[in-house]
mmCIF file of all heavy atoms in Angstrom:
data_model
loop_
_atom_site.group_PDB
_atom_site.id
_atom_site.type_symbol
_atom_site.label_atom_id
_atom_site.label_comp_id
_atom_site.label_asym_id
_atom_site.label_seq_id
_atom_site.Cartn_x
_atom_site.Cartn_y
_atom_site.Cartn_z
ATOM 1 N N ALA A 1429 -117.949 -167.682 60.563
ATOM 2 C CA ALA A 1429 -116.666 -167.238 61.130
ATOM 3 C C ALA A 1429 -116.101 -168.309 62.061
ATOM 4 O O ALA A 1429 -114.904 -168.584 62.057
ATOM 5 C CB ALA A 1429 -116.856 -165.925 61.898
ATOM 6 N N GLU A 1430 -116.974 -168.926 62.837
ATOM 7 C CA GLU A 1430 -116.509 -169.951 63.790
ATOM 8 C C GLU A 1430 -115.893 -171.136 63.051
ATOM 9 O O GLU A 1430 -114.934 -171.738 63.518
ATOM 10 C CB GLU A 1430 -117.671 -170.416 64.665
ATOM 11 C CG GLU A 1430 -118.103 -169.350 65.659
ATOM 12 C CD GLU A 1430 -119.078 -169.856 66.698
ATOM 13 O OE1 GLU A 1430 -119.538 -171.009 66.595
ATOM 14 O OE2 GLU A 1430 -119.374 -169.076 67.626
ATOM 15 N N ARG A 1431 -116.469 -171.481 61.926
ATOM 16 C CA ARG A 1431 -115.912 -172.612 61.165
ATOM 17 C C ARG A 1431 -114.611 -172.201 60.478
ATOM 18 O O ARG A 1431 -113.664 -172.957 60.387
ATOM 19 C CB ARG A 1431 -116.935 -173.120 60.146
ATOM 20 C CG ARG A 1431 -117.807 -174.213 60.745
ATOM 21 C CD ARG A 1431 -119.220 -173.789 61.042
ATOM 22 N NE ARG A 1431 -119.803 -174.605 62.100
ATOM 23 C CZ ARG A 1431 -120.387 -174.089 63.179
ATOM 24 N NH1 ARG A 1431 -120.443 -172.799 63.366
ATOM 25 N NH2 ARG A 1431 -120.898 -174.873 64.100
ATOM 26 N N GLU A 1432 -114.593 -170.966 59.999
ATOM 27 C CA GLU A 1432 -113.422 -170.458 59.285
ATOM 28 C C GLU A 1432 -112.197 -170.375 60.212
ATOM 29 O O GLU A 1432 -111.063 -170.580 59.788
ATOM 30 C CB GLU A 1432 -113.777 -169.058 58.748
ATOM 31 C CG GLU A 1432 -112.826 -168.478 57.722
ATOM 32 C CD GLU A 1432 -112.774 -169.269 56.420
ATOM 33 O OE1 GLU A 1432 -113.729 -169.992 56.097
ATOM 34 O OE2 GLU A 1432 -111.723 -169.174 55.746
ATOM 35 N N ALA A 1433 -112.457 -170.077 61.487
ATOM 36 C CA ALA A 1433 -111.353 -169.860 62.433
ATOM 37 C C ALA A 1433 -110.450 -171.081 62.550
ATOM 38 O O ALA A 1433 -109.283 -170.978 62.916
ATOM 39 C CB ALA A 1433 -111.899 -169.482 63.808
ATOM 40 N N GLY A 1434 -110.995 -172.259 62.232
ATOM 41 C CA GLY A 1434 -110.210 -173.488 62.322
ATOM 42 C C GLY A 1434 -109.250 -173.660 61.157
ATOM 43 O O GLY A 1434 -108.407 -174.556 61.163
ATOM 44 N N ARG A 1435 -109.417 -172.853 60.125
ATOM 45 C CA ARG A 1435 -108.531 -172.987 58.958
ATOM 46 C C ARG A 1435 -107.329 -172.055 59.148
ATOM 47 O O ARG A 1435 -107.453 -170.841 59.113
ATOM 48 C CB ARG A 1435 -109.288 -172.619 57.685
ATOM 49 C CG ARG A 1435 -110.397 -173.605 57.359
ATOM 50 C CD ARG A 1435 -111.014 -173.335 56.000
ATOM 51 N NE ARG A 1435 -112.430 -173.073 56.072
ATOM 52 C CZ ARG A 1435 -113.382 -173.990 56.191
ATOM 53 N NH1 ARG A 1435 -113.074 -175.264 56.249
ATOM 54 N NH2 ARG A 1435 -114.655 -173.661 56.255
ATOM 55 N N VAL A 1436 -106.185 -172.668 59.364
ATOM 56 C CA VAL A 1436 -104.994 -171.900 59.723
ATOM 57 C C VAL A 1436 -103.856 -172.258 58.774
ATOM 58 O O VAL A 1436 -103.559 -173.445 58.593
ATOM 59 C CB VAL A 1436 -104.574 -172.234 61.185
ATOM 60 C CG1 VAL A 1436 -103.298 -171.512 61.557
ATOM 61 C CG2 VAL A 1436 -105.698 -171.872 62.141
ATOM 62 N N PRO A 1437 -103.252 -171.232 58.154
ATOM 63 C CA PRO A 1437 -102.148 -171.522 57.240
ATOM 64 C C PRO A 1437 -101.051 -172.317 57.954
ATOM 65 O O PRO A 1437 -100.723 -172.035 59.111
ATOM 66 C CB PRO A 1437 -101.615 -170.129 56.856
ATOM 67 C CG PRO A 1437 -102.681 -169.170 57.245
ATOM 68 C CD PRO A 1437 -103.531 -169.802 58.289
ATOM 69 N N GLY A 1438 -100.547 -173.314 57.262
ATOM 70 C CA GLY A 1438 -99.445 -174.096 57.840
ATOM 71 C C GLY A 1438 -99.912 -175.354 58.540
ATOM 72 O O GLY A 1438 -99.101 -176.203 58.892
ATOM 73 N N ILE A 1439 -101.220 -175.454 58.798
ATOM 74 C CA ILE A 1439 -101.714 -176.725 59.344
ATOM 75 C C ILE A 1439 -102.955 -177.146 58.563
ATOM 76 O O ILE A 1439 -103.700 -176.312 58.061
ATOM 77 C CB ILE A 1439 -102.039 -176.655 60.863
ATOM 78 C CG1 ILE A 1439 -103.146 -175.643 61.153
ATOM 79 C CG2 ILE A 1439 -100.827 -176.345 61.679
ATOM 80 C CD1 ILE A 1439 -103.653 -175.755 62.573
ATOM 81 N N ASP A 1440 -103.121 -178.433 58.447
ATOM 82 C CA ASP A 1440 -104.313 -178.944 57.771
ATOM 83 C C ASP A 1440 -104.635 -180.325 58.339
ATOM 84 O O ASP A 1440 -104.040 -180.758 59.334
ATOM 85 C CB ASP A 1440 -104.115 -178.993 56.254
ATOM 86 C CG ASP A 1440 -102.925 -179.853 55.858
ATOM 87 O OD1 ASP A 1440 -102.604 -180.814 56.602
ATOM 88 O OD2 ASP A 1440 -102.293 -179.580 54.820
ATOM 89 N N ALA A 1441 -105.554 -181.015 57.680
ATOM 90 C CA ALA A 1441 -106.003 -182.309 58.203
ATOM 91 C C ALA A 1441 -104.855 -183.313 58.293
ATOM 92 O O ALA A 1441 -104.920 -184.282 59.064
ATOM 93 C CB ALA A 1441 -107.115 -182.854 57.319
ATOM 94 N N ASN A 1442 -103.796 -183.093 57.507
ATOM 95 C CA ASN A 1442 -102.670 -184.043 57.529
ATOM 96 C C ASN A 1442 -101.629 -183.724 58.596
ATOM 97 O O ASN A 1442 -100.694 -184.499 58.798
ATOM 98 C CB ASN A 1442 -101.962 -184.053 56.168
ATOM 99 C CG ASN A 1442 -102.909 -184.514 55.088
ATOM 100 O OD1 ASN A 1442 -103.742 -185.394 55.318
ATOM 101 N ND2 ASN A 1442 -102.829 -183.885 53.909
ATOM 102 N N THR A 1443 -101.760 -182.571 59.247
ATOM 103 C CA THR A 1443 -100.794 -182.234 60.311
ATOM 104 C C THR A 1443 -100.947 -183.242 61.443
ATOM 105 O O THR A 1443 -102.063 -183.434 61.936
ATOM 106 C CB THR A 1443 -101.058 -180.813 60.858
ATOM 107 O OG1 THR A 1443 -101.144 -179.914 59.762
ATOM 108 C CG2 THR A 1443 -99.961 -180.376 61.813
ATOM 109 N N PRO A 1444 -99.863 -183.891 61.830
ATOM 110 C CA PRO A 1444 -100.004 -184.886 62.903
ATOM 111 C C PRO A 1444 -100.378 -184.204 64.226
ATOM 112 O O PRO A 1444 -100.064 -183.035 64.430
ATOM 113 C CB PRO A 1444 -98.608 -185.501 63.006
ATOM 114 C CG PRO A 1444 -97.695 -184.499 62.385
ATOM 115 C CD PRO A 1444 -98.488 -183.742 61.370
ATOM 116 N N LEU A 1445 -101.061 -184.928 65.082
ATOM 117 C CA LEU A 1445 -101.438 -184.373 66.380
ATOM 118 C C LEU A 1445 -100.627 -185.082 67.462
ATOM 119 O O LEU A 1445 -100.336 -186.269 67.338
ATOM 120 C CB LEU A 1445 -102.933 -184.590 66.629
ATOM 121 C CG LEU A 1445 -103.883 -183.877 65.667
ATOM 122 C CD1 LEU A 1445 -105.326 -184.285 65.942
ATOM 123 C CD2 LEU A 1445 -103.744 -182.360 65.776
ATOM 124 N N ARG A 1446 -100.274 -184.339 68.503
ATOM 125 C CA ARG A 1446 -99.637 -184.987 69.657
ATOM 126 C C ARG A 1446 -100.758 -185.484 70.577
ATOM 127 O O ARG A 1446 -101.819 -184.861 70.649
ATOM 128 C CB ARG A 1446 -98.759 -183.987 70.417
ATOM 129 C CG ARG A 1446 -97.611 -183.481 69.548
ATOM 130 C CD ARG A 1446 -96.591 -182.698 70.355
ATOM 131 N NE ARG A 1446 -95.612 -182.088 69.451
ATOM 132 C CZ ARG A 1446 -94.598 -181.347 69.850
ATOM 133 N NH1 ARG A 1446 -94.412 -181.107 71.153
ATOM 134 N NH2 ARG A 1446 -93.755 -180.827 68.991
ATOM 135 N N SER A 1447 -100.505 -186.559 71.266
ATOM 136 C CA SER A 1447 -101.592 -187.063 72.118
ATOM 137 C C SER A 1447 -101.570 -186.321 73.460
ATOM 138 O O SER A 1447 -100.506 -186.049 74.025
ATOM 139 C CB SER A 1447 -101.490 -188.572 72.293
ATOM 140 O OG SER A 1447 -100.729 -188.862 73.413
ATOM 141 N N VAL A 1448 -102.748 -185.949 73.910
ATOM 142 C CA VAL A 1448 -102.858 -185.249 75.195
ATOM 143 C C VAL A 1448 -103.746 -186.085 76.097
ATOM 144 O O VAL A 1448 -104.971 -186.005 76.054
ATOM 145 C CB VAL A 1448 -103.444 -183.830 75.013
ATOM 146 C CG1 VAL A 1448 -103.569 -183.129 76.373
ATOM 147 C CG2 VAL A 1448 -102.574 -182.989 74.082
ATOM 148 N N ARG A 1449 -103.106 -186.921 76.898
ATOM 149 C CA ARG A 1449 -103.876 -187.797 77.795
ATOM 150 C C ARG A 1449 -103.907 -187.258 79.219
ATOM 151 O O ARG A 1449 -104.770 -187.599 79.994
ATOM 152 C CB ARG A 1449 -103.295 -189.209 77.768
ATOM 153 C CG ARG A 1449 -103.821 -190.022 76.577
ATOM 154 C CD ARG A 1449 -103.381 -191.456 76.679
ATOM 155 N NE ARG A 1449 -101.926 -191.526 76.567
ATOM 156 C CZ ARG A 1449 -101.294 -191.898 75.454
ATOM 157 N NH1 ARG A 1449 -101.977 -192.273 74.405
ATOM 158 N NH2 ARG A 1449 -99.979 -191.938 75.407
ATOM 159 N N ASN A 1450 -102.904 -186.442 79.538
ATOM 160 C CA ASN A 1450 -102.954 -185.821 80.858
ATOM 161 C C ASN A 1450 -102.335 -184.437 80.805
ATOM 162 O O ASN A 1450 -101.478 -184.158 79.970
ATOM 163 C CB ASN A 1450 -102.293 -186.700 81.922
ATOM 164 C CG ASN A 1450 -100.856 -186.952 81.578
ATOM 165 O OD1 ASN A 1450 -100.028 -186.049 81.672
ATOM 166 N ND2 ASN A 1450 -100.544 -188.168 81.135
ATOM 167 N N VAL A 1451 -102.835 -183.597 81.697
ATOM 168 C CA VAL A 1451 -102.503 -182.175 81.640
ATOM 169 C C VAL A 1451 -101.983 -181.742 83.003
ATOM 170 O O VAL A 1451 -102.370 -182.318 84.028
ATOM 171 C CB VAL A 1451 -103.784 -181.383 81.278
ATOM 172 C CG1 VAL A 1451 -103.585 -179.886 81.404
ATOM 173 C CG2 VAL A 1451 -104.243 -181.727 79.854
ATOM 174 N N ALA A 1452 -101.111 -180.751 83.009
ATOM 175 C CA ALA A 1452 -100.716 -180.143 84.285
ATOM 176 C C ALA A 1452 -100.971 -178.648 84.212
ATOM 177 O O ALA A 1452 -100.807 -178.039 83.146
ATOM 178 C CB ALA A 1452 -99.238 -180.408 84.556
ATOM 179 N N VAL A 1453 -101.415 -178.084 85.321
ATOM 180 C CA VAL A 1453 -101.646 -176.645 85.385
ATOM 181 C C VAL A 1453 -100.805 -176.100 86.530
ATOM 182 O O VAL A 1453 -100.821 -176.649 87.640
ATOM 183 C CB VAL A 1453 -103.146 -176.329 85.609
ATOM 184 C CG1 VAL A 1453 -103.352 -174.822 85.763
ATOM 185 C CG2 VAL A 1453 -103.988 -176.864 84.447
ATOM 186 N N ILE A 1454 -100.072 -175.031 86.242
ATOM 187 C CA ILE A 1454 -99.227 -174.447 87.290
ATOM 188 C C ILE A 1454 -99.906 -173.196 87.827
ATOM 189 O O ILE A 1454 -100.158 -172.247 87.080
ATOM 190 C CB ILE A 1454 -97.843 -174.084 86.730
ATOM 191 C CG1 ILE A 1454 -97.216 -175.347 86.129
ATOM 192 C CG2 ILE A 1454 -96.958 -173.504 87.816
ATOM 193 C CD1 ILE A 1454 -95.919 -175.092 85.439
ATOM 194 N N GLY A 1455 -100.216 -173.225 89.094
ATOM 195 C CA GLY A 1455 -100.935 -172.112 89.720
ATOM 196 C C GLY A 1455 -102.367 -172.538 89.982
ATOM 197 O O GLY A 1455 -103.101 -172.861 89.048
ATOM 198 N N ALA A 1456 -102.745 -172.561 91.268
ATOM 199 C CA ALA A 1456 -104.097 -173.021 91.618
ATOM 200 C C ALA A 1456 -104.986 -171.849 92.015
ATOM 201 O O ALA A 1456 -105.953 -172.006 92.741
ATOM 202 C CB ALA A 1456 -104.031 -174.055 92.748
#
Side-chain angles (χ1 to χ4, degrees):
E1430 289 190 353
R1431 270 107 205 128
E1432 193 64 23
R1435 293 188 239 281
V1436 177
I1439 62 169
D1440 58 29
N1442 298 323
T1443 310
L1445 296 175
R1446 297 191 187 180
S1447 91
V1448 179
R1449 277 188 295 258
N1450 60 72
V1451 171
V1453 176
I1454 303 175

